[in-house]
């Protein structure tokens, strides 16, 4: 079973709202990732969690705040977003600690975010 | 720094025929992983196939095979017997340690 789930599937929010994206995997994977994908572009890495600790932050603005409450869950808290933050947000997980070239990342279905 | 390139923005193929999607890469690290993902319009990135830099044989997974030419730094995806459901965006990706980078993608359209 290589399932990663994400909720909600769609989210519309105003620039003053606070919302959260959720990601869950029950494959025992030790690394989890957040990606942002703009239309007609490849995914861009935002954050990597390894063993529930933040290991990579790709210079993401502080209005995006990740959280890893346990090894199965990954949240992305959103606050004071801008319209240009509208995108597909993808969560992924991999079996190891996230540091090996051979690790396959398995993705969730994504959350389509629209910021008005 | 690593770089991954897909030069075909769009490709068309007739149903039941084979198609090759091109991918070239550049890295100075001898250990890397190469991946292909399929992204339908629904948005989910579906893992298709993996090739390690030290693998001697080309990877195959059902109708998918990866034509790995290390000296040319290419990792082309071959889809045999195309189906209408293969219409999607296809991304090539390279991973060096914890750093995964995606190519720009190729949109494949299968014609009936």
């Amino acid at each position: 079973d290589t399932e990663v789930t994400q909720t909600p599937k769609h989210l519309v929010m105003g620039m003053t709202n606070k919302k959260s994206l959720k990601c869950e995997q029950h494959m025992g994977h030790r690394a989890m990732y957040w990606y942002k994908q703009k239309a007609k572009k490849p995914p861009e890495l935002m954050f990597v969690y390894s063993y529930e600790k933040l290991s990579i932050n790709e210079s993401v603005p502080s209005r995006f705040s990740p959280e890893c409450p346990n090894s199965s869950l990954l949240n992305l808290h959103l606050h004071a977003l801008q319209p240009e933050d509208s995108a597909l947000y993808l969560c992924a997980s991999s079996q190891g600690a996230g540091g090996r070239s051979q690790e396959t990342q398995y993705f969730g279905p994504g959350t389509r975010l629209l910021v008005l | 720094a690593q770089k991954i390139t897909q030069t075909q923005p769009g490709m068309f193929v007739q149903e039941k025929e084979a198609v090759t999607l091109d991918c070239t890469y550049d890295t100075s690290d001898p250990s890397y992983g190469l991946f292909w993902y399929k992204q339908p319009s629904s948005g989910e990135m579906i893992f298709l196939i993996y090739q390690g830099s030290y693998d001697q044989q080309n990877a195959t997974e059902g109708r998918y095979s990866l034509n790995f030419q290390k000296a040319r730094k290419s990792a082309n995806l071959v889809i045999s017997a195309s189906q209408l459901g293969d219409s999607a965006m296809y991304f090539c990706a390279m991973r060096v340690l914890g750093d995964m980078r995606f190519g720009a993608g190729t949109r494949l359209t299968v014609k009936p």
Side-chain angles (χ1 to χ4, degrees), chain A residues 33 35 37 40-43 45 56 58 88 90 94 98-109 112, chain B residues 31-33 35 37 39-45 47 50 89 91 95-104:
Chain A
Y33 312 78
Y35 286 86
Q37 186 179 20
K40 300 185 180 181
K41 296 288 186 183
L45 183 65
I56 294 177
E58 291 282 359
L88 178 67
L90 291 161
S94 64
R100 295 190 308 133
S101 302
Q102 299 87 348
E103 287 178 29
T104 298
Q105 293 183 22
Y106 296 94
F107 286 79
R112 291 193 186 273
Chain B
S31 177
Y32 51 89
F35 304 82
Y37 287 87
Q39 188 175 41
S41 55
S42 59
E44 183 174 3
M45 295 280 284
F47 166 68
Y50 160 80
M89 196 75 171
F91 288 99
R95 181 167 187 159
V96 177
L97 297 178
D99 188 11
M100 180 111 144
R101 304 284 169 168
F102 290 83

Side-chain angles (χ1 to χ4, degrees), chain A residues 49-66:
Chain A
Y49 271 83
S50 176
Y51 287 94
E52 302 163 44
K53 288 185 173 17
L54 183 63
S55 61
I56 294 177
N57 176 341
E58 291 282 359
S59 302
V60 179
S62 59
R63 57 186 184 268
F64 295 92
S65 175

Side-chain angles (χ1 to χ4, degrees), chain A residues 5-23:
Chain A
T5 59
Q6 289 187 244
T7 54
K9 290 190 176 180
H10 301 273
L11 180 62
V12 180
M13 61 186 290
M15 289 190 284
T16 58
N17 292 156
K18 287 185 181 181
K19 296 286 185 184
S20 296
L21 309 184
K22 296 186 185 302
C23 174

Side-chain angles (χ1 to χ4, degrees), chain A residues 36-44 83-89:
Chain A
K36 174 182 178 179
Q37 186 179 20
K38 300 284 279 183
K40 300 185 180 181
K41 296 288 186 183
E44 294 179 345
E84 60 265 28
D85 296 321
S86 298
L88 178 67
Y89 288 84

Side-chain angles (χ1 to χ4, degrees), chain B residues 47-102:
Chain B
F47 166 68
L48 296 178
I49 197 165
Y50 160 80
Q51 180 86 41
S53 59
Y54 296 117
D55 293 344
Q56 297 294 317
Q57 304 233 353
N58 287 344
T60 60
E61 289 286 349
R63 293 188 299 112
Y64 304 108
S65 60
L66 201 153
N67 185 0
F68 182 44
Q69 298 188 41
K70 196 169 183 176
R72 296 181 61 188
K73 294 189 175 181
S74 73
N76 298 338
L77 177 70
V78 180
I79 305 175
S80 63
S82 297
Q83 301 171 356
L84 295 178
D86 293 335
S87 293
M89 196 75 171
Y90 287 80
F91 288 99
C92 180
M94 177 173 65
R95 181 167 187 159
V96 177
L97 297 178
D99 188 11
M100 180 111 144
R101 304 284 169 168
F102 290 83

